[in-house]
Amino acid sequence: MTDATVTRPRTRRDAQFDRIRDREAKLAGTTQRKGRFLSKFLNNRLAVIGFAIFAVICLMSLFAPLIAQHDPMSPNLRAIAKPPSAEHWFGTDKTGRDIFARVLYGGRVSILVGLGSALLSALIGVIIGVYSGYVGGWLDWIAMRISEIFMSFPQIILVLLLVAILGQSLVNLIVIFTLTGWGGIYRMARARMLSIREEEYVQALRSFGLGPARIAYKHMLPNALGPIMVNITLSTAAFILQEAGLSFLGLGVPLSIPTWGNILNAAQDLRVLEQNWWIWLPVGATISLFVLSVNFIGDGLRDATDPSQQG
Amino acid sequence: MEMGNDVALSVRNLKTYIYTNNRCNRALDGVSFEIRQGKTLCIVGESGCGKSVTAASIMQLLPTLSRIEDGEITYHGPDGPVRIDALERDGAKMRAIRGKEIAMIFQDPMTALNPVYSIGFQIKEMLRYHTSLGRKDRHSKAIDLLRSMGIPLPERRVDEYPHLYSGGMRQRAMIAIAMSCNPRILIADEPTTALDVTIQAQIFELMDTLKRENGTAIMLITHDMGVVAELADDVAVMYMGNIVEAGPVGKVLRKPVHPYTRALLDSIPVLGRGKDQEIKAIPGQTPDPYNRPTGCQFADRCAYRVSACDEMPPETMVADDHRVMCWRYQEFMADAAE
Amino acid sequence: MLTYIARRLLTLIPMVIVISFLIYLGLELTPGDAVSHMIPPDAYGSMDEDRLQELRESLGLGKPFLVRYWIWISGVLQGDFGYSLAGGVPISKIFLDRLPATLELSIAALLISTVLGSILGTISALTRGSLTDQSLTVVGMLGVSIPEFFFGLVAILIFALNLEWLPVGGRTLPGYDSFWDRLPHLVMPAMVLSIMMTAGVMRYARSSMLDALSRDFIRTARSKGMPEWRVNILHGFRVALTPVIVLIGFRLPVLIGGSVIIEQVFQWPGIGKEFVSAVRSQDYPLVMMVALFSVLAVLVASLIVDLLTAIIDPRVRLGD
């Protein structure tokens, strides 16, 4: 027999393991069940923080008329480019408009564009992708080729090209984003369906004589919802970034409507950039924070719906 | 049990717990056995009973979120006994044992070989770390190994990539890697589960030959009682992290004294006994590893359950080389004697 | 290998034809006389109606659509890209002038993000769950969440306006034209442009590496008793590399897109900046040509990615 003084080397995980083991020992014999999805999502601290930030920014934008003390559009010649104060929390811009009000109202449009385009392109992508992924055939072939054409353009070039052709307006922008954005989610939904199609329960349903549309949308789609949700959150983030970029160039939503990107547009002027930080810094931070929160939610959703991510 | 000179590796009261999803799975809950030099020990049991965890514990190849809690794993090498469980997981001492002293082959040869390197590279890599052979010698040794594993055209095959090998050939290549440094112990974790039946026999024959020619001790993990009857010298039957019965193959298969061993044997058809033979499936299913019974782990599925089974039965020697974990073993012994 | 390249090229051709066709369709449908972007504008202005009509005939504008497309595409293939509406400069000359700047910027950003992203992602995966990993994850998240032009603005404010270490923008000063003179101009745009891609590559490299490390052959490699660095780098990273290269190829369009905005922020005289002003002034011929060439760039990039993966991955290289 070897001597009993031999000790196993401890690693940084040992304390964590001891904790789990002791807790299990206490709970031995009792059973506890919590929704797996919800508990995984809640265990992800970043996702919960992200959701809180997301909710706060959305609600503040939604109730902008109740929160903002000033009109976002009306210039005030007596308060031009004033730094933040009790009266104007984020200061005023070069025509004396209250920036806090503009950020709140701008959020409405920016979130509408981002979320709206993401939902619309998801709707189109999922409807086509789920059906064509399950049924295949010529419809699948055509949809695949069309999405290939869309996706061989760098997205922003295609968006700008369409802006040049269709002209600048809020509705056009959502239409353009939807047109350029459906391809990704279509391919994702299609790929999911291709793998689900091979599962046995689908074969069983087919043998019961159910129609393809019913099998695809009613029975298979729910099993693909996880990745679709993740995709929607991530494309919301992407569209908000794109709207900001386009408006910053002055080619997004017409400058007369306040959006986050349009407010930032003023920072193209080096004097504003250097001397009036409050005109662009808070709104840039707001965009970043919002996109960050959406990305955290997306990551949390992915971890919660993906069974392969453990530990 | 007396420890003879022929023991290659002994495991005493091994406890390995797995900590995924913030839960604790007591995957191995006090396992003891030994592997004898030049003999084959078969570990049998249903999937999830801890067979593979045992192998991983010996090789210190456990997943990150798991650890050896208690017990001893002792390798009786040429330089005296080494406590494997006390070695740093991927430290130099452990690495010197892996591959050189104890080698392992895995269940699925499709995924166990790295797809981006040639078979030859993966054999030579092993030789590079455990032998002092030069580049050219390593190459010719790799070819020799492939040839002795029965791979045709080894001079050409040595530079080919795994995807050009068939399943059976990959497992042969895997065995070539494992045997390249002439290890004292070979651990095989269900090496034929992923292969065709006809290939299975060839692989086992190869392993048996290696055992006879090199005196390698083999620990074979399987769920197939037929394989046990064919290859084993010793058998250990595992259920939910315990070895419920262990002993020489003749005794365990002919005179099983644990209800689980009996149920396992009853659940396989025997060739030649005709269509009318009684095949009994084991009722129920293995318990949830996070919610185990407090007593005998098999009690819920056992036809011979009594109130004593609410407590964990001790390991009892029924002969000097035959051991069981059951409260009612004496009745089964009497039964088997008839 | 050669047949693989040939087959890959053959699948590209229909794609290019369809897209060039669509672009031409767009050109025809957008406002403006087709003649106006096919001849220099000053010549256009001095022509009378008869002469123009004659020219339209000679350019085949009365002919059926497909014939007109054929005339146009054979011109493009011979390097005749038409004329920009603004200033009447041949588009080929604009490309020649602007392309080097854009290439310089994109290649610099590509190099930075590839190297930095894959190294950081690998470190993150190898130290999974540690403080390093968690901080890198949060930093990566910030990188993909903050608009790059906002990064650019902050960088200009700090490094150019306050610290005065680097120039505010542009690519060169008159009279100072060597690479070393230009380098300070390149630093900020290249760094800022690479941020989002670095973060993307890092996140992807991390998950690809984690995936590789969870495979069976890693366990095999460990069971052979090899040192950890060899297991992680030679077996793990080598296998994780293929998907990362594919991702970098897929991200090239994003890089091209990003450079459109970044060139604007830093007044970098590249194609992207030219493209934005063309969109603003509705200079359709230029817009369409840039779009056509960006598609070609993407397709060529995807071809290169395929070839690279074929070189790296024996299953593709030797497959059928």
Side-chain angles (χ1 to χ4, degrees):
Chain A
M1 211 72 296
T2 43
D3 60 319
T5 55
V6 181
T7 50
R8 267 173 286 279
R10 281 182 78 82
T11 67
R12 64 187 164 84
R13 292 188 192 275
D14 275 323
Q16 181 197 349
F17 289 169
D18 289 341
R19 218 170 34 243
I20 300 172
R21 192 186 52 192
D22 296 345
R23 198 191 57 207
E24 293 270 325
K26 251 180 256 160
L27 289 173
T30 63
T31 48
Q32 41 150 18
R33 293 220 173 270
K34 202 166 32 159
R36 200 177 122 77
F37 171 82
L38 202 64
S39 75
K40 281 195 97 170
F41 190 84
L42 289 177
N43 272 335
N44 189 334
R45 233 177 316 152
L46 291 178
V48 175
I49 296 173
F51 190 78
I53 298 173
F54 176 81
V56 167
I57 296 181
C58 281
L59 287 176
M60 284 182 76
S61 297
L62 197 64
F63 295 110
L66 301 178
I67 300 170
Q69 307 292 324
H70 300 269
D71 183 76
M73 315 288 263
S74 64
N76 178 357
L77 294 178
R78 275 168 303 168
I80 282 175
K82 286 277 185 286
S85 62
E87 172 73 10
H88 300 285
W89 292 356
F90 284 4
T92 58
D93 67 7
K94 289 174 89 183
T95 51
R97 294 174 296 194
D98 181 62
I99 293 178
F100 184 64
R102 286 178 70 75
V103 171
L104 289 188
Y105 279 92
R108 293 179 145 195
V109 183
S110 290
I111 296 172
L112 173 75
V113 170
L115 205 58
S117 314
L119 288 176
L120 273 178
S121 48
L123 193 69
I124 296 176
V126 167
I127 287 179
I128 303 179
V130 165
Y131 192 76
S132 76
Y134 176 61
V135 179
W138 62 271
L139 182 74
D140 186 42
W141 191 88
I142 288 179
M144 199 63 194
R145 294 294 92 78
I146 294 178
S147 82
E148 262 172 23
I149 289 173
F150 272 105
M151 292 180 85
S152 54
F153 284 89
Q155 186 141 1
I156 198 146
I157 301 248
L158 185 58
V159 168
L160 282 173
L161 177 77
L162 292 173
V163 167
I165 294 174
L166 297 177
Q168 264 176 274
S169 82
L170 185 59
V171 176
N172 278 359
L173 199 65
I174 295 180
V175 169
I176 290 170
F177 279 169
T178 308
L179 267 178
T180 57
W182 69 277
I185 199 160
Y186 154 75
R187 286 174 163 225
M188 198 275 301
R190 178 178 178 273
R192 284 289 301 159
M193 295 312 272
L194 283 181
S195 69
I196 296 178
R197 190 167 72 173
E198 303 306 320
E199 279 178 30
E200 274 177 29
Y201 80 95
V202 177
Q203 316 283 343
L205 288 172
R206 206 177 306 167
S207 71
F208 295 159
L210 264 60
R214 195 173 167 79
I215 294 179
Y217 293 114
K218 173 109 180 141
H219 293 278
M220 291 166 71
L221 178 58
N223 287 308
L225 273 184
I228 290 173
M229 295 271 291
V230 175
N231 202 305
I232 292 177
T233 50
L234 297 185
S235 54
T236 304
F239 286 137
I240 289 194
L241 285 178
Q242 274 190 30
E243 186 276 325
L246 285 182
S247 301
F248 173 73
L249 295 176
L251 292 168
V253 179
L255 273 174
S256 55
I257 306 172
T259 73
W260 288 339
N262 278 344
I263 304 173
L264 264 172
N265 184 273
Q268 286 212 353
D269 183 344
L270 277 184
R271 251 177 327 189
V272 172
L273 187 65
E274 192 171 12
Q275 286 154 15
N276 313 110
W277 58 268
W278 59 89
I279 294 183
W280 57 276
L281 203 60
V283 68
T286 308
I287 298 177
S288 308
L289 203 60
F290 188 78
V291 174
L292 189 68
S293 74
V294 173
N295 278 331
F296 278 146
I297 296 174
D299 259 26
L301 281 178
R302 191 197 339 249
D303 291 348
T305 53
D306 184 356
S308 67
Q309 299 265 332
Q310 288 196 336
Chain B
M1 263 190 278
E2 197 52 42
M3 214 174 302
N5 288 334
D6 62 339
V7 173
L9 183 114
S10 57
V11 173
R12 284 277 161 277
N13 192 30
L14 177 65
K15 293 186 178 176
T16 301
Y17 294 176
I18 298 174
Y19 296 89
T20 40
N21 287 327
N22 278 323
R23 299 293 309 267
C24 169
N25 173 7
R26 303 201 301 276
L28 292 186
D29 212 6
V31 165
S32 307
F33 61 87
E34 49 202 32
I35 307 175
R36 291 186 292 153
Q37 200 59 57
K39 303 284 180 197
T40 301
L41 167 73
C42 275
I43 298 193
V44 267
E46 290 164 286
S47 49
C49 70
K51 292 172 296 183
S52 297
V53 180
T54 310
S57 303
I58 295 173
M59 293 292 281
Q60 288 263 44
L61 288 175
L62 290 163
T64 328
L65 294 176
S66 58
R67 66 171 173 185
I68 296 174
E69 300 282 329
D70 200 8
E72 296 163 16
I73 302 172
T74 313
Y75 169 63
H76 302 275
D79 310 325
V82 183
R83 276 286 294 276
I84 286 183
D85 58 302
L87 297 179
E88 199 187 326
R89 262 191 197 190
D90 296 313
K93 284 183 186 158
M94 190 63 232
R95 282 192 276 112
I97 292 178
R98 278 185 203 151
K100 176 141 179 60
E101 310 285 334
I102 311 177
M104 184 161 176
I105 56 179
F106 298 94
Q107 185 166 359
D108 189 354
M110 301 295 171
T111 57
L113 291 165
N114 193 328
V116 303
Y117 293 113
S118 71
I119 297 285
F121 179 91
Q122 300 187 50
I123 299 176
K124 286 181 261 181
E125 197 174 45
M126 184 93 146
L127 295 170
R128 201 175 136 177
Y129 276 90
H130 297 301
T131 67
S132 52
L133 294 177
R135 176 183 277 273
K136 275 191 183 144
D137 292 337
R138 291 201 293 264
H139 190 73
S140 51
K141 169 98 183 179
I143 295 175
D144 289 345
L145 278 163
L146 287 178
R147 185 179 295 119
S148 56
M149 297 304 144
I151 287 177
L153 294 173
E155 294 83 2
R156 224 186 61 204
R157 285 292 191 165
V158 72
D159 291 323
E160 283 182 0
Y161 290 86
H163 69 276
L164 295 174
Y165 277 53
S166 68
M169 294 244 287
R170 280 190 219 188
Q171 198 57 292
R172 283 165 192 268
M174 193 67 230
I175 297 176
I177 295 174
M179 294 307 292
S180 60
C181 299
N182 218 343
R184 304 221 315 146
I185 303 173
L186 177 67
I187 299 178
D189 186 357
E190 306 217 18
T192 60
T193 311
L195 304 176
D196 283 347
V197 184
T198 48
I199 311 290
Q200 281 190 21
Q202 295 172 15
I203 296 290
F204 283 134
E205 204 181 288
L206 178 62
M207 285 174 57
D208 219 36
T209 316
L210 292 171
K211 178 181 81 175
R212 269 184 280 109
E213 286 176 1
N214 303 338
T216 318
I218 294 180
M219 178 176 130
L220 175 64
I221 292 171
T222 180
H223 58 255
D224 186 341
M225 275 298 189
V227 171
V228 176
E230 197 76 21
L231 289 172
D233 297 299
D234 301 308
V235 189
V237 180
M238 280 193 88
Y239 189 78
M240 292 304 288
N242 294 117
I243 291 186
V244 293
E245 181 166 4
V249 66
K251 291 187 183 174
V252 175
L253 294 197
R254 293 226 184 77
K255 296 172 185 166
V257 288
H258 194 283
Y260 179 62
T261 317
R262 297 182 147 212
L264 269 186
L265 291 167
D266 281 341
S267 67
I268 46 169
V270 179
L271 205 61
R273 231 186 251 172
K275 278 188 204 162
D276 300 328
Q277 63 180 300
E278 205 178 345
I279 299 170
K280 283 182 246 154
I282 305 176
Q285 38 188 267
T286 51
D288 174 7
Y290 297 109
N291 193 15
R292 294 162 182 266
T294 44
C296 173
Q297 302 287 304
F298 187 59
D300 289 343
R301 303 170 72 185
C302 184
Y304 306 95
R305 180 180 188 163
V306 290
S307 57
C309 300
D310 289 343
E311 262 178 64
M312 192 69 108
E315 291 192 336
T316 322
M317 308 300 299
V318 297
D320 58 352
D321 53 0
H322 191 179
R323 170 184 78 180
V324 71
M325 261 179 100
C326 179
W327 291 110
R328 299 181 66 184
Y329 71 93
Q330 279 162 327
E331 296 163 51
F332 298 119
M333 274 180 76
D335 183 32
E338 277 171 22
Chain C
M1 187 74 188
L2 274 175
T3 53
Y4 176 76
I5 300 175
R7 216 177 35 210
R8 201 56 194 73
L9 272 173
L10 277 179
T11 57
L12 275 188
I13 289 169
M15 197 73 180
V16 174
I17 292 176
V18 170
I19 287 174
S20 66
F21 192 82
L22 287 175
I23 297 258
Y24 183 68
L25 195 67
L27 259 182
E28 290 243 329
L29 292 180
T30 45
D33 191 338
V35 173
S36 63
H37 61 254
M38 289 175 125
I39 59 170
D42 27 332
Y44 179 77
S46 62
M47 272 177 213
D48 53 35
E49 197 49 41
D50 289 349
R51 181 86 184 81
L52 276 178
Q53 199 53 47
E54 210 173 294
L55 207 68
R56 286 198 184 101
E57 290 295 321
S58 76
L59 287 169
L61 289 183
K63 300 214 174 91
F65 181 77
L66 279 179
V67 179
R68 288 185 320 228
Y69 167 73
W70 177 247
I71 293 171
W72 174 78
I73 192 78
S74 39
V76 170
L77 286 176
Q78 287 158 32
D80 175 10
F81 302 158
Y83 294 87
S84 157
L85 292 184
V89 192
I91 291 175
S92 51
K93 185 175 180 316
I94 297 180
F95 275 11
L96 281 180
D97 286 352
R98 304 296 190 180
L99 201 58
T102 295
L103 283 180
E104 186 176 289
L105 181 59
S106 324
I107 290 174
L110 188 67
L111 283 179
I112 296 173
S113 53
T114 307
V115 174
L116 212 60
S118 42
I119 290 178
L120 291 179
T122 307
I123 291 176
S124 192
L126 289 179
T127 59
R128 185 183 188 181
S130 70
L131 194 65
T132 319
D133 177 34
Q134 281 169 359
S135 352
L136 279 175
T137 305
V138 171
V139 169
M141 206 57 146
L142 284 171
V144 294
S145 299
I146 300 177
E148 33 201 4
F149 65 90
F150 185 59
F151 264 126
L153 296 176
V154 176
I156 290 178
L157 181 69
I158 295 175
F159 297 109
L161 297 177
N162 282 344
L163 297 175
E164 296 189 3
W165 288 353
L166 295 164
V168 168
R171 187 183 175 212
T172 166
L173 294 170
Y176 299 88
D177 211 24
S178 79
F179 176 76
W180 295 109
D181 291 329
R182 292 206 311 262
L183 194 61
H185 292 264
L186 180 63
V187 173
M188 263 203 299
M191 292 300 276
V192 170
L193 179 57
S194 70
I195 287 176
M196 200 169 262
M197 180 126 162
T198 305
V201 171
M202 183 179 97
R203 284 161 60 87
Y204 197 75
R206 178 181 184 270
S207 69
S208 174
M209 186 70 185
L210 283 180
D211 179 58
L213 289 178
S214 73
R215 306 272 203 87
D216 284 354
F217 56 76
I218 292 295
R219 197 180 48 183
T220 308
R222 262 200 200 109
S223 81
K224 289 154 112 178
M226 295 188 305
E228 278 299 284
W229 69 265
R230 192 177 169 104
V231 173
N232 289 330
I233 304 301
L234 229 65
H235 287 266
F237 184 70
R238 177 69 168 66
V239 169
L241 195 62
T242 317
V244 171
I245 286 186
V246 172
L247 171 95
I248 292 170
F250 275 127
R251 283 295 173 94
L252 274 187
V254 181
L255 196 66
I256 296 175
S259 73
V260 169
I261 296 178
I262 292 302
E263 285 183 9
Q264 190 69 25
V265 174
F266 290 97
Q267 295 299 305
W268 187 262
I271 302 268
K273 189 164 172 293
E274 202 65 35
F275 182 63
V276 170
S277 42
V279 171
R280 280 209 187 109
S281 59
Q282 304 196 316
D283 186 348
Y284 293 112
L286 185 53
V287 169
M288 295 296 178
M289 271 305 158
V290 175
L292 181 61
F293 276 83
S294 70
V295 171
L296 281 182
V298 170
L299 293 179
V300 168
S302 77
L303 187 69
I304 293 174
V305 166
D306 277 4
L307 295 183
L308 274 181
T309 44
I311 289 169
I312 289 179
D313 194 331
R315 283 166 296 183
V316 183
R317 187 195 328 156
L318 304 168
D320 62 320

